[in-house]
Amino acid sequence: GAGVSQSPSNKVTEKGKDVELRCDPISGHTALYWYRQSLGQGLEFLIYFQGNSAPDKSGLPSDRFSAERTGGSVSTLTIQRTQQEDSAVYLCASSLDSDRIYGYTFGSGTRLTVV
Amino acid sequence: SQKIEQNSEALNIQEGKTATLTCNYTNYSPAYLQWYRQDPGRGPVFLLLIRENEKEKRKERLKVTFDTTLKQSLFHITASQPADSATYLCALDPRRALTFGSGTRLQVQP
């Protein structure tokens, strides 16, 4: 597609439920990133994919968070047993190369609200 | 520890003036630095990249400087317009993924 697509755009879930967030990167972009942004805060790095492998998972806040990428394309971020502190906007980005000299292209994010 | 600092206070300027935003960092030795623009409810949009061996980079009304001795980048918007109102983020790459500052909100008054 023309840009990075994320779905759903909004998700309200009850505490304790599992959620899946999807990211469709730009076709041909080998690198894919997940960040989250709490209200009025900066971007917090979660995980990075190069192809289907994740060389850097250091930002995942707990073992309730996991992500996968298949076919070098679509990625899914899963949060199990959601907690209220998981409420944030989850942003996905892709880049043409692992050197990132072309910058990241971000999606519009998924706003997750845990009630 | 590594830190990126941007002025958390909003910058208010009059239309037509030059806006200058600052990004300071500590305990990094970045090969390059990037600037992004973020509008409410949207993801950040890439604006410019400047390498460690470049002192200055320009793109239309935008100018970025990079001083690796001071560990500082300045981001300038000349002839600012109300449409330039947004949050501007700087980002560094110490590892495998960009680390972003918390951003500075710019408000250009007509």
Side-chain angles (χ1 to χ4, degrees), chain A residues 33 35 37 42-43 45 48 55 58 91 99-104 106-108, chain B residues 32 34 36 38 41-44 46 49 89 93 95-98 100 102:
Chain A
Y33 312 84
Y35 289 82
Q37 188 171 34
L43 277 72
F45 169 72
Y48 152 62
S58 62
L91 290 162
D99 290 331
R100 295 169 288 284
I101 64 172
Y102 298 104
Y104 290 6
F106 280 87
S108 291
Chain B
Y32 52 80
Q34 300 187 19
Y36 288 76
Q38 187 174 24
R42 310 291 294 178
F46 172 70
L49 176 149
L89 309 167
D93 179 14
R95 303 174 304 175
R96 304 297 295 273
L98 287 175
F100 287 81
S102 56

PDB file of all heavy atoms in Angstrom, chain A residues 33 35 37 42-43 45 48 55 58 91 99-104 106-108, chain B residues 32 34 36 38 41-44 46 49 89 93 95-98 100 102:
ATOM      1  N   TYR A  33       9.004  -1.645  13.078  1.00  0.00           N
ATOM      2  CA  TYR A  33       9.196  -1.246  14.475  1.00  0.00           C
ATOM      3  C   TYR A  33       7.847  -1.038  15.145  1.00  0.00           C
ATOM      4  O   TYR A  33       6.911  -0.546  14.515  1.00  0.00           O
ATOM      5  CB  TYR A  33       9.972   0.076  14.558  1.00  0.00           C
ATOM      6  CG  TYR A  33      11.207   0.110  13.710  1.00  0.00           C
ATOM      7  CD1 TYR A  33      11.130   0.440  12.356  1.00  0.00           C
ATOM      8  CD2 TYR A  33      12.452  -0.187  14.249  1.00  0.00           C
ATOM      9  CE1 TYR A  33      12.259   0.468  11.567  1.00  0.00           C
ATOM     10  CE2 TYR A  33      13.592  -0.162  13.464  1.00  0.00           C
ATOM     11  CZ  TYR A  33      13.486   0.167  12.122  1.00  0.00           C
ATOM     12  OH  TYR A  33      14.617   0.181  11.342  1.00  0.00           O
ATOM     13  N   TYR A  35       6.291   0.962  18.552  1.00  0.00           N
ATOM     14  CA  TYR A  35       6.471   1.902  19.643  1.00  0.00           C
ATOM     15  C   TYR A  35       5.124   2.089  20.328  1.00  0.00           C
ATOM     16  O   TYR A  35       4.078   1.784  19.742  1.00  0.00           O
ATOM     17  CB  TYR A  35       6.924   3.276  19.125  1.00  0.00           C
ATOM     18  CG  TYR A  35       8.334   3.342  18.597  1.00  0.00           C
ATOM     19  CD1 TYR A  35       8.636   2.929  17.301  1.00  0.00           C
ATOM     20  CD2 TYR A  35       9.372   3.832  19.387  1.00  0.00           C
ATOM     21  CE1 TYR A  35       9.937   2.999  16.818  1.00  0.00           C
ATOM     22  CE2 TYR A  35      10.680   3.915  18.913  1.00  0.00           C
ATOM     23  CZ  TYR A  35      10.948   3.491  17.627  1.00  0.00           C
ATOM     24  OH  TYR A  35      12.239   3.559  17.142  1.00  0.00           O
ATOM     25  N   GLN A  37       2.999   5.186  22.729  1.00  0.00           N
ATOM     26  CA  GLN A  37       3.035   6.586  23.155  1.00  0.00           C
ATOM     27  C   GLN A  37       1.873   6.815  24.109  1.00  0.00           C
ATOM     28  O   GLN A  37       0.711   6.712  23.718  1.00  0.00           O
ATOM     29  CB  GLN A  37       2.932   7.509  21.935  1.00  0.00           C
ATOM     30  CG  GLN A  37       3.148   8.977  22.231  1.00  0.00           C
ATOM     31  CD  GLN A  37       3.238   9.797  20.954  1.00  0.00           C
ATOM     32  OE1 GLN A  37       2.587   9.497  19.961  1.00  0.00           O
ATOM     33  NE2 GLN A  37       4.058  10.854  20.984  1.00  0.00           N
ATOM     34  N   GLY A  42       6.568  10.850  25.148  1.00  0.00           N
ATOM     35  CA  GLY A  42       7.338  10.515  23.959  1.00  0.00           C
ATOM     36  C   GLY A  42       7.090   9.086  23.530  1.00  0.00           C
ATOM     37  O   GLY A  42       6.287   8.356  24.113  1.00  0.00           O
ATOM     38  N   LEU A  43       7.787   8.686  22.486  1.00  0.00           N
ATOM     39  CA  LEU A  43       7.640   7.343  21.945  1.00  0.00           C
ATOM     40  C   LEU A  43       8.541   6.370  22.705  1.00  0.00           C
ATOM     41  O   LEU A  43       9.735   6.618  22.878  1.00  0.00           O
ATOM     42  CB  LEU A  43       8.026   7.313  20.465  1.00  0.00           C
ATOM     43  CG  LEU A  43       6.951   7.730  19.466  1.00  0.00           C
ATOM     44  CD1 LEU A  43       6.713   9.218  19.527  1.00  0.00           C
ATOM     45  CD2 LEU A  43       7.329   7.301  18.068  1.00  0.00           C
ATOM     46  N   PHE A  45      10.151   2.696  22.657  1.00  0.00           N
ATOM     47  CA  PHE A  45      10.461   1.590  21.767  1.00  0.00           C
ATOM     48  C   PHE A  45      10.030   0.266  22.382  1.00  0.00           C
ATOM     49  O   PHE A  45      10.259   0.010  23.570  1.00  0.00           O
ATOM     50  CB  PHE A  45      11.968   1.561  21.491  1.00  0.00           C
ATOM     51  CG  PHE A  45      12.456   0.327  20.810  1.00  0.00           C
ATOM     52  CD1 PHE A  45      12.173   0.105  19.467  1.00  0.00           C
ATOM     53  CD2 PHE A  45      13.181  -0.629  21.499  1.00  0.00           C
ATOM     54  CE1 PHE A  45      12.620  -1.042  18.833  1.00  0.00           C
ATOM     55  CE2 PHE A  45      13.634  -1.772  20.874  1.00  0.00           C
ATOM     56  CZ  PHE A  45      13.356  -1.980  19.540  1.00  0.00           C
ATOM     57  N   TYR A  48      11.755  -4.476  17.362  1.00  0.00           N
ATOM     58  CA  TYR A  48      12.210  -4.208  16.005  1.00  0.00           C
ATOM     59  C   TYR A  48      12.336  -5.522  15.255  1.00  0.00           C
ATOM     60  O   TYR A  48      12.825  -6.500  15.800  1.00  0.00           O
ATOM     61  CB  TYR A  48      13.556  -3.480  16.111  1.00  0.00           C
ATOM     62  CG  TYR A  48      14.526  -3.655  14.985  1.00  0.00           C
ATOM     63  CD1 TYR A  48      14.207  -3.245  13.693  1.00  0.00           C
ATOM     64  CD2 TYR A  48      15.783  -4.192  15.214  1.00  0.00           C
ATOM     65  CE1 TYR A  48      15.122  -3.374  12.670  1.00  0.00           C
ATOM     66  CE2 TYR A  48      16.703  -4.329  14.192  1.00  0.00           C
ATOM     67  CZ  TYR A  48      16.374  -3.920  12.925  1.00  0.00           C
ATOM     68  OH  TYR A  48      17.281  -4.053  11.917  1.00  0.00           O
ATOM     69  N   PRO A  55      15.701  -8.888  16.074  1.00  0.00           N
ATOM     70  CA  PRO A  55      17.001  -8.776  16.722  1.00  0.00           C
ATOM     71  C   PRO A  55      16.953  -8.021  18.051  1.00  0.00           C
ATOM     72  O   PRO A  55      17.855  -8.173  18.866  1.00  0.00           O
ATOM     73  CB  PRO A  55      17.845  -7.989  15.715  1.00  0.00           C
ATOM     74  CG  PRO A  55      17.091  -7.986  14.453  1.00  0.00           C
ATOM     75  CD  PRO A  55      15.663  -8.149  14.810  1.00  0.00           C
ATOM     76  N   SER A  58      14.187  -5.683  23.304  1.00  0.00           N
ATOM     77  CA  SER A  58      14.528  -5.158  24.631  1.00  0.00           C
ATOM     78  C   SER A  58      13.483  -4.225  25.212  1.00  0.00           C
ATOM     79  O   SER A  58      13.433  -4.025  26.421  1.00  0.00           O
ATOM     80  CB  SER A  58      15.872  -4.429  24.564  1.00  0.00           C
ATOM     81  OG  SER A  58      15.788  -3.319  23.686  1.00  0.00           O
ATOM     82  N   LEU A  91       2.104   2.539  17.998  1.00  0.00           N
ATOM     83  CA  LEU A  91       2.512   2.987  16.671  1.00  0.00           C
ATOM     84  C   LEU A  91       3.432   1.968  16.022  1.00  0.00           C
ATOM     85  O   LEU A  91       4.335   1.436  16.663  1.00  0.00           O
ATOM     86  CB  LEU A  91       3.244   4.332  16.770  1.00  0.00           C
ATOM     87  CG  LEU A  91       2.409   5.541  17.149  1.00  0.00           C
ATOM     88  CD1 LEU A  91       3.274   6.678  17.643  1.00  0.00           C
ATOM     89  CD2 LEU A  91       1.569   6.009  15.966  1.00  0.00           C
ATOM     90  N   ASP A  99      19.562   0.454   7.946  1.00  0.00           N
ATOM     91  CA  ASP A  99      20.370   1.597   8.354  1.00  0.00           C
ATOM     92  C   ASP A  99      19.526   2.816   8.652  1.00  0.00           C
ATOM     93  O   ASP A  99      20.000   3.785   9.215  1.00  0.00           O
ATOM     94  CB  ASP A  99      21.389   1.955   7.253  1.00  0.00           C
ATOM     95  CG  ASP A  99      22.461   0.905   7.133  1.00  0.00           C
ATOM     96  OD1 ASP A  99      22.765   0.257   8.151  1.00  0.00           O
ATOM     97  OD2 ASP A  99      22.996   0.725   6.024  1.00  0.00           O
ATOM     98  N   ARG A 100      18.312   2.760   8.219  1.00  0.00           N
ATOM     99  CA  ARG A 100      17.317   3.790   8.562  1.00  0.00           C
ATOM    100  C   ARG A 100      17.682   5.180   8.048  1.00  0.00           C
ATOM    101  O   ARG A 100      17.199   6.179   8.561  1.00  0.00           O
ATOM    102  CB  ARG A 100      17.087   3.848  10.082  1.00  0.00           C
ATOM    103  CG  ARG A 100      16.466   2.582  10.622  1.00  0.00           C
ATOM    104  CD  ARG A 100      16.518   2.577  12.130  1.00  0.00           C
ATOM    105  NE  ARG A 100      17.858   2.370  12.628  1.00  0.00           N
ATOM    106  CZ  ARG A 100      18.479   1.202  12.637  1.00  0.00           C
ATOM    107  NH1 ARG A 100      17.884   0.135  12.160  1.00  0.00           N
ATOM    108  NH2 ARG A 100      19.694   1.099  13.120  1.00  0.00           N
ATOM    109  N   ILE A 101      18.520   5.264   7.029  1.00  0.00           N
ATOM    110  CA  ILE A 101      18.907   6.588   6.556  1.00  0.00           C
ATOM    111  C   ILE A 101      17.779   7.276   5.805  1.00  0.00           C
ATOM    112  O   ILE A 101      17.842   8.478   5.565  1.00  0.00           O
ATOM    113  CB  ILE A 101      20.169   6.524   5.673  1.00  0.00           C
ATOM    114  CG1 ILE A 101      19.899   5.710   4.394  1.00  0.00           C
ATOM    115  CG2 ILE A 101      21.334   5.982   6.458  1.00  0.00           C
ATOM    116  CD1 ILE A 101      21.022   5.777   3.409  1.00  0.00           C
ATOM    117  N   TYR A 102      16.761   6.505   5.445  1.00  0.00           N
ATOM    118  CA  TYR A 102      15.622   7.115   4.769  1.00  0.00           C
ATOM    119  C   TYR A 102      14.517   7.497   5.741  1.00  0.00           C
ATOM    120  O   TYR A 102      13.470   7.963   5.325  1.00  0.00           O
ATOM    121  CB  TYR A 102      15.077   6.163   3.706  1.00  0.00           C
ATOM    122  CG  TYR A 102      16.085   5.853   2.623  1.00  0.00           C
ATOM    123  CD1 TYR A 102      16.740   4.632   2.595  1.00  0.00           C
ATOM    124  CD2 TYR A 102      16.385   6.794   1.648  1.00  0.00           C
ATOM    125  CE1 TYR A 102      17.674   4.348   1.615  1.00  0.00           C
ATOM    126  CE2 TYR A 102      17.314   6.517   0.670  1.00  0.00           C
ATOM    127  CZ  TYR A 102      17.955   5.298   0.659  1.00  0.00           C
ATOM    128  OH  TYR A 102      18.879   5.021  -0.303  1.00  0.00           O
ATOM    129  N   GLY A 103      14.736   7.277   6.996  1.00  0.00           N
ATOM    130  CA  GLY A 103      13.719   7.633   7.975  1.00  0.00           C
ATOM    131  C   GLY A 103      12.658   6.562   8.090  1.00  0.00           C
ATOM    132  O   GLY A 103      12.587   5.628   7.294  1.00  0.00           O
ATOM    133  N   TYR A 104      11.849   6.706   9.106  1.00  0.00           N
ATOM    134  CA  TYR A 104      10.746   5.783   9.334  1.00  0.00           C
ATOM    135  C   TYR A 104       9.461   6.353   8.734  1.00  0.00           C
ATOM    136  O   TYR A 104       9.255   7.569   8.744  1.00  0.00           O
ATOM    137  CB  TYR A 104      10.479   5.614  10.838  1.00  0.00           C
ATOM    138  CG  TYR A 104      11.507   4.865  11.629  1.00  0.00           C
ATOM    139  CD1 TYR A 104      12.703   4.435  11.096  1.00  0.00           C
ATOM    140  CD2 TYR A 104      11.264   4.585  12.972  1.00  0.00           C
ATOM    141  CE1 TYR A 104      13.631   3.763  11.860  1.00  0.00           C
ATOM    142  CE2 TYR A 104      12.181   3.915  13.751  1.00  0.00           C
ATOM    143  CZ  TYR A 104      13.364   3.503  13.193  1.00  0.00           C
ATOM    144  OH  TYR A 104      14.285   2.834  13.952  1.00  0.00           O
ATOM    145  N   PHE A 106       5.588   6.041   9.633  1.00  0.00           N
ATOM    146  CA  PHE A 106       4.696   5.577  10.704  1.00  0.00           C
ATOM    147  C   PHE A 106       3.270   5.423  10.211  1.00  0.00           C
ATOM    148  O   PHE A 106       2.815   6.142   9.308  1.00  0.00           O
ATOM    149  CB  PHE A 106       4.673   6.593  11.855  1.00  0.00           C
ATOM    150  CG  PHE A 106       5.846   6.508  12.784  1.00  0.00           C
ATOM    151  CD1 PHE A 106       7.014   7.194  12.520  1.00  0.00           C
ATOM    152  CD2 PHE A 106       5.787   5.734  13.939  1.00  0.00           C
ATOM    153  CE1 PHE A 106       8.106   7.123  13.378  1.00  0.00           C
ATOM    154  CE2 PHE A 106       6.864   5.657  14.804  1.00  0.00           C
ATOM    155  CZ  PHE A 106       8.025   6.352  14.512  1.00  0.00           C
ATOM    156  N   GLY A 107       2.552   4.495  10.846  1.00  0.00           N
ATOM    157  CA  GLY A 107       1.119   4.435  10.710  1.00  0.00           C
ATOM    158  C   GLY A 107       0.474   5.441  11.650  1.00  0.00           C
ATOM    159  O   GLY A 107       1.161   6.141  12.405  1.00  0.00           O
ATOM    160  N   SER A 108      -0.848   5.503  11.624  1.00  0.00           N
ATOM    161  CA  SER A 108      -1.572   6.449  12.489  1.00  0.00           C
ATOM    162  C   SER A 108      -1.807   5.905  13.891  1.00  0.00           C
ATOM    163  O   SER A 108      -2.283   6.626  14.759  1.00  0.00           O
ATOM    164  CB  SER A 108      -2.911   6.832  11.853  1.00  0.00           C
ATOM    165  OG  SER A 108      -2.689   7.612  10.704  1.00  0.00           O
TER     166      SER A 108
ATOM    167  N   TYR B  32      24.027   9.675  13.118  1.00  0.00           N
ATOM    168  CA  TYR B  32      23.150  10.670  12.512  1.00  0.00           C
ATOM    169  C   TYR B  32      21.999  10.968  13.460  1.00  0.00           C
ATOM    170  O   TYR B  32      21.784  10.271  14.447  1.00  0.00           O
ATOM    171  CB  TYR B  32      22.637  10.209  11.145  1.00  0.00           C
ATOM    172  CG  TYR B  32      22.003   8.841  11.121  1.00  0.00           C
ATOM    173  CD1 TYR B  32      20.693   8.660  11.547  1.00  0.00           C
ATOM    174  CD2 TYR B  32      22.708   7.742  10.663  1.00  0.00           C
ATOM    175  CE1 TYR B  32      20.115   7.412  11.530  1.00  0.00           C
ATOM    176  CE2 TYR B  32      22.137   6.493  10.653  1.00  0.00           C
ATOM    177  CZ  TYR B  32      20.837   6.334  11.080  1.00  0.00           C
ATOM    178  OH  TYR B  32      20.276   5.089  11.073  1.00  0.00           O
ATOM    179  N   GLN B  34      17.798  12.482  13.390  1.00  0.00           N
ATOM    180  CA  GLN B  34      16.634  12.723  12.539  1.00  0.00           C
ATOM    181  C   GLN B  34      15.644  13.642  13.247  1.00  0.00           C
ATOM    182  O   GLN B  34      15.565  13.661  14.475  1.00  0.00           O
ATOM    183  CB  GLN B  34      15.946  11.394  12.206  1.00  0.00           C
ATOM    184  CG  GLN B  34      16.846  10.402  11.475  1.00  0.00           C
ATOM    185  CD  GLN B  34      16.123   9.165  11.011  1.00  0.00           C
ATOM    186  OE1 GLN B  34      14.898   9.155  10.903  1.00  0.00           O
ATOM    187  NE2 GLN B  34      16.862   8.119  10.701  1.00  0.00           N
ATOM    188  N   TYR B  36      11.422  14.716  13.175  1.00  0.00           N
ATOM    189  CA  TYR B  36      10.084  14.312  12.753  1.00  0.00           C
ATOM    190  C   TYR B  36       9.077  15.358  13.207  1.00  0.00           C
ATOM    191  O   TYR B  36       9.283  16.064  14.194  1.00  0.00           O
ATOM    192  CB  TYR B  36       9.701  12.961  13.391  1.00  0.00           C
ATOM    193  CG  TYR B  36      10.428  11.774  12.818  1.00  0.00           C
ATOM    194  CD1 TYR B  36      11.753  11.526  13.144  1.00  0.00           C
ATOM    195  CD2 TYR B  36       9.784  10.895  11.950  1.00  0.00           C
ATOM    196  CE1 TYR B  36      12.428  10.440  12.612  1.00  0.00           C
ATOM    197  CE2 TYR B  36      10.448   9.789  11.419  1.00  0.00           C
ATOM    198  CZ  TYR B  36      11.769   9.581  11.757  1.00  0.00           C
ATOM    199  OH  TYR B  36      12.434   8.501  11.231  1.00  0.00           O
ATOM    200  N   GLN B  38       4.962  15.632  14.323  1.00  0.00           N
ATOM    201  CA  GLN B  38       3.790  14.858  14.715  1.00  0.00           C
ATOM    202  C   GLN B  38       2.607  15.783  14.950  1.00  0.00           C
ATOM    203  O   GLN B  38       2.686  16.715  15.744  1.00  0.00           O
ATOM    204  CB  GLN B  38       4.066  14.014  15.960  1.00  0.00           C
ATOM    205  CG  GLN B  38       2.913  13.070  16.301  1.00  0.00           C
ATOM    206  CD  GLN B  38       3.220  12.120  17.429  1.00  0.00           C
ATOM    207  OE1 GLN B  38       4.075  12.384  18.275  1.00  0.00           O
ATOM    208  NE2 GLN B  38       2.540  10.975  17.449  1.00  0.00           N
ATOM    209  N   GLY B  41      -3.128  12.962  16.958  1.00  0.00           N
ATOM    210  CA  GLY B  41      -3.842  11.807  16.426  1.00  0.00           C
ATOM    211  C   GLY B  41      -3.168  11.136  15.240  1.00  0.00           C
ATOM    212  O   GLY B  41      -3.757  10.235  14.627  1.00  0.00           O
ATOM    213  N   ARG B  42      -1.958  11.551  14.940  1.00  0.00           N
ATOM    214  CA  ARG B  42      -1.238  10.986  13.795  1.00  0.00           C
ATOM    215  C   ARG B  42       0.118  10.453  14.243  1.00  0.00           C
ATOM    216  O   ARG B  42       0.643  10.824  15.295  1.00  0.00           O
ATOM    217  CB  ARG B  42      -1.014  12.046  12.706  1.00  0.00           C
ATOM    218  CG  ARG B  42      -2.244  12.825  12.308  1.00  0.00           C
ATOM    219  CD  ARG B  42      -3.248  11.995  11.581  1.00  0.00           C
ATOM    220  NE  ARG B  42      -2.750  11.542  10.278  1.00  0.00           N
ATOM    221  CZ  ARG B  42      -3.447  10.758   9.468  1.00  0.00           C
ATOM    222  NH1 ARG B  42      -4.635  10.323   9.821  1.00  0.00           N
ATOM    223  NH2 ARG B  42      -2.939  10.404   8.312  1.00  0.00           N
ATOM    224  N   GLY B  43       0.703   9.579  13.419  1.00  0.00           N
ATOM    225  CA  GLY B  43       2.062   9.140  13.686  1.00  0.00           C
ATOM    226  C   GLY B  43       3.049  10.197  13.225  1.00  0.00           C
ATOM    227  O   GLY B  43       2.723  11.072  12.422  1.00  0.00           O
ATOM    228  N   PRO B  44       4.281  10.155  13.748  1.00  0.00           N
ATOM    229  CA  PRO B  44       5.298  11.106  13.319  1.00  0.00           C
ATOM    230  C   PRO B  44       5.618  10.970  11.833  1.00  0.00           C
ATOM    231  O   PRO B  44       5.512   9.879  11.266  1.00  0.00           O
ATOM    232  CB  PRO B  44       6.511  10.708  14.167  1.00  0.00           C
ATOM    233  CG  PRO B  44       5.959   9.981  15.340  1.00  0.00           C
ATOM    234  CD  PRO B  44       4.748   9.268  14.820  1.00  0.00           C
ATOM    235  N   PHE B  46       8.622  11.797   8.989  1.00  0.00           N
ATOM    236  CA  PHE B  46      10.044  12.074   8.820  1.00  0.00           C
ATOM    237  C   PHE B  46      10.253  13.371   8.039  1.00  0.00           C
ATOM    238  O   PHE B  46       9.621  13.592   6.994  1.00  0.00           O
ATOM    239  CB  PHE B  46      10.697  10.911   8.076  1.00  0.00           C
ATOM    240  CG  PHE B  46      12.130  11.155   7.676  1.00  0.00           C
ATOM    241  CD1 PHE B  46      13.127  11.217   8.627  1.00  0.00           C
ATOM    242  CD2 PHE B  46      12.466  11.308   6.348  1.00  0.00           C
ATOM    243  CE1 PHE B  46      14.443  11.425   8.260  1.00  0.00           C
ATOM    244  CE2 PHE B  46      13.783  11.512   5.967  1.00  0.00           C
ATOM    245  CZ  PHE B  46      14.774  11.566   6.920  1.00  0.00           C
ATOM    246  N   LEU B  49      17.244  14.155   7.903  1.00  0.00           N
ATOM    247  CA  LEU B  49      18.309  13.410   8.562  1.00  0.00           C
ATOM    248  C   LEU B  49      19.604  14.182   8.369  1.00  0.00           C
ATOM    249  O   LEU B  49      19.864  14.696   7.275  1.00  0.00           O
ATOM    250  CB  LEU B  49      18.430  12.016   7.946  1.00  0.00           C
ATOM    251  CG  LEU B  49      19.558  11.096   8.434  1.00  0.00           C
ATOM    252  CD1 LEU B  49      19.125   9.640   8.343  1.00  0.00           C
ATOM    253  CD2 LEU B  49      20.850  11.301   7.652  1.00  0.00           C
ATOM    254  N   LEU B  89       9.856  16.212  16.920  1.00  0.00           N
ATOM    255  CA  LEU B  89      10.627  15.220  17.662  1.00  0.00           C
ATOM    256  C   LEU B  89      11.999  15.046  17.039  1.00  0.00           C
ATOM    257  O   LEU B  89      12.110  14.978  15.808  1.00  0.00           O
ATOM    258  CB  LEU B  89       9.915  13.860  17.625  1.00  0.00           C
ATOM    259  CG  LEU B  89       8.448  13.800  18.015  1.00  0.00           C
ATOM    260  CD1 LEU B  89       7.843  12.463  17.616  1.00  0.00           C
ATOM    261  CD2 LEU B  89       8.315  13.993  19.513  1.00  0.00           C
ATOM    262  N   ASP B  93      19.984   7.183  16.937  1.00  0.00           N
ATOM    263  CA  ASP B  93      20.053   5.749  16.688  1.00  0.00           C
ATOM    264  C   ASP B  93      21.269   5.140  17.382  1.00  0.00           C
ATOM    265  O   ASP B  93      22.284   4.921  16.751  1.00  0.00           O
ATOM    266  CB  ASP B  93      20.132   5.512  15.188  1.00  0.00           C
ATOM    267  CG  ASP B  93      20.223   4.040  14.859  1.00  0.00           C
ATOM    268  OD1 ASP B  93      19.953   3.221  15.753  1.00  0.00           O
ATOM    269  OD2 ASP B  93      20.571   3.722  13.717  1.00  0.00           O
ATOM    270  N   ARG B  95      21.397   2.158  18.776  1.00  0.00           N
ATOM    271  CA  ARG B  95      21.429   0.694  18.697  1.00  0.00           C
ATOM    272  C   ARG B  95      20.815   0.253  17.378  1.00  0.00           C
ATOM    273  O   ARG B  95      21.327   0.574  16.327  1.00  0.00           O
ATOM    274  CB  ARG B  95      20.668   0.090  19.882  1.00  0.00           C
ATOM    275  CG  ARG B  95      21.172   0.518  21.242  1.00  0.00           C
ATOM    276  CD  ARG B  95      20.275  -0.003  22.319  1.00  0.00           C
ATOM    277  NE  ARG B  95      18.906   0.428  22.083  1.00  0.00           N
ATOM    278  CZ  ARG B  95      17.893   0.036  22.833  1.00  0.00           C
ATOM    279  NH1 ARG B  95      18.080  -0.818  23.814  1.00  0.00           N
ATOM    280  NH2 ARG B  95      16.666   0.459  22.595  1.00  0.00           N
ATOM    281  N   ARG B  96      19.744  -0.458  17.462  1.00  0.00           N
ATOM    282  CA  ARG B  96      19.118  -0.998  16.274  1.00  0.00           C
ATOM    283  C   ARG B  96      17.845  -0.262  15.900  1.00  0.00           C
ATOM    284  O   ARG B  96      17.280  -0.495  14.851  1.00  0.00           O
ATOM    285  CB  ARG B  96      18.799  -2.486  16.488  1.00  0.00           C
ATOM    286  CG  ARG B  96      19.999  -3.324  16.872  1.00  0.00           C
ATOM    287  CD  ARG B  96      21.059  -3.337  15.791  1.00  0.00           C
ATOM    288  NE  ARG B  96      20.585  -3.982  14.589  1.00  0.00           N
ATOM    289  CZ  ARG B  96      20.661  -5.282  14.367  1.00  0.00           C
ATOM    290  NH1 ARG B  96      21.144  -6.090  15.293  1.00  0.00           N
ATOM    291  NH2 ARG B  96      20.243  -5.790  13.228  1.00  0.00           N
ATOM    292  N   ALA B  97      17.342   0.574  16.786  1.00  0.00           N
ATOM    293  CA  ALA B  97      16.109   1.312  16.490  1.00  0.00           C
ATOM    294  C   ALA B  97      16.245   2.730  17.033  1.00  0.00           C
ATOM    295  O   ALA B  97      16.982   2.974  17.981  1.00  0.00           O
ATOM    296  CB  ALA B  97      14.899   0.619  17.119  1.00  0.00           C
ATOM    297  N   LEU B  98      15.525   3.636  16.408  1.00  0.00           N
ATOM    298  CA  LEU B  98      15.585   5.034  16.822  1.00  0.00           C
ATOM    299  C   LEU B  98      15.052   5.211  18.234  1.00  0.00           C
ATOM    300  O   LEU B  98      14.083   4.575  18.637  1.00  0.00           O
ATOM    301  CB  LEU B  98      14.764   5.904  15.877  1.00  0.00           C
ATOM    302  CG  LEU B  98      15.340   6.158  14.492  1.00  0.00           C
ATOM    303  CD1 LEU B  98      14.330   6.928  13.644  1.00  0.00           C
ATOM    304  CD2 LEU B  98      16.648   6.930  14.568  1.00  0.00           C
ATOM    305  N   PHE B 100      13.569   8.300  20.500  1.00  0.00           N
ATOM    306  CA  PHE B 100      12.985   9.618  20.263  1.00  0.00           C
ATOM    307  C   PHE B 100      13.014  10.466  21.523  1.00  0.00           C
ATOM    308  O   PHE B 100      12.854   9.962  22.641  1.00  0.00           O
ATOM    309  CB  PHE B 100      11.523   9.468  19.815  1.00  0.00           C
ATOM    310  CG  PHE B 100      11.362   8.963  18.416  1.00  0.00           C
ATOM    311  CD1 PHE B 100      11.455   7.614  18.132  1.00  0.00           C
ATOM    312  CD2 PHE B 100      11.112   9.842  17.376  1.00  0.00           C
ATOM    313  CE1 PHE B 100      11.303   7.141  16.837  1.00  0.00           C
ATOM    314  CE2 PHE B 100      10.960   9.385  16.080  1.00  0.00           C
ATOM    315  CZ  PHE B 100      11.057   8.036  15.804  1.00  0.00           C
ATOM    316  N   SER B 102      11.071  13.547  23.658  1.00  0.00           N
ATOM    317  CA  SER B 102       9.644  13.676  23.968  1.00  0.00           C
ATOM    318  C   SER B 102       8.970  14.758  23.149  1.00  0.00           C
ATOM    319  O   SER B 102       7.745  14.883  23.174  1.00  0.00           O
ATOM    320  CB  SER B 102       9.451  13.952  25.456  1.00  0.00           C
ATOM    321  OG  SER B 102      10.187  15.088  25.828  1.00  0.00           O
TER     322      SER B 102
END
